[in-house]
């Protein structure tokens, strides 16, 4: 059972990191915002980033744990900003910047050309 819980948590962390990348890149985020109704997307965004904030705050047992714990305040601040946004609202000034700061704190470097021009990884670059 504990292994299932760990696998689920790992999946949530990966999903949240992917979503942070989307949020950091305005062009990707704009496309993402057309995928479903705003309230549904906001719920996904809010829940994934909140889960990442919780994970970061309690990370332990891996070489990356310290990096996650040190990023926790930035991720928590973004999660709180998302939670405070009006219902159905998908963008506030500063969310892109906060996402970039979270990614930087987590050790994810900006892509070549920066986040403003990033449109995703080319197919087959997994």
């Amino acid at each position: 059972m504990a292994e299932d819980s760990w696998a689920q948590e790992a999946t949530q962390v990966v999903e949240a990191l992917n979503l942070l990348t989307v949020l950091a890149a305005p062009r990707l985020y704009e496309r993402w915002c057309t995928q479903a109704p705003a309230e549904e997307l906001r719920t996904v965004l809010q829940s994934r980033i909140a889960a990442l904030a919780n994970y970061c705050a309690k990370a332990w047992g891996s070489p990356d744990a310290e990096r996650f714990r040190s990023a926790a305040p930035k991720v928590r601040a973004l999660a709180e900003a998302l939670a405070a946004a009006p219902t159905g609202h998908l963008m506030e000034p500063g969310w892109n910047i906060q996402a970039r700061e979270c990614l930087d704190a987590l050790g994810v470097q900006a892509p070549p050309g920066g986040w403003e021009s990033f449109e995703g990884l080319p197919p087959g670059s997994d």
Side-chain angles (χ1 to χ4, degrees), residues 93-110:
W95 284 0
N96 294 118
I97 293 167
Q98 282 184 283
R100 293 170 191 176
E101 290 172 351
C102 291
L103 288 166
D104 186 54
L106 290 164
V108 177
Q109 296 180 351

Side-chain angles (χ1 to χ4, degrees), residues 3-80:
E3 190 171 315
D4 289 341
S5 176
W6 182 87
Q8 183 180 15
E9 188 172 47
T11 298
Q12 290 175 344
V13 169
V14 169
E15 289 173 357
L17 289 172
N18 287 338
L19 199 48
L20 267 180
T21 300
V22 169
L23 183 56
R27 293 177 188 190
L28 282 178
Y29 192 64
E30 184 177 328
R31 284 194 309 254
W32 184 82
C33 288
T34 66
Q35 302 296 313
E39 188 55 35
E40 183 179 324
L41 292 173
R42 182 174 181 272
T43 298
V44 168
L45 182 62
Q46 187 177 357
S47 67
R48 295 299 190 280
I49 303 305
L52 181 60
N54 288 334
Y55 177 82
C56 288
K58 64 182 180 91
W60 65 275
S62 80
D64 296 322
E66 180 57 37
R67 186 170 28 132
F68 276 97
R69 282 194 310 274
S70 67
K74 290 184 184 304
V75 178
R76 186 178 333 104
L78 177 56
E80 289 170 357

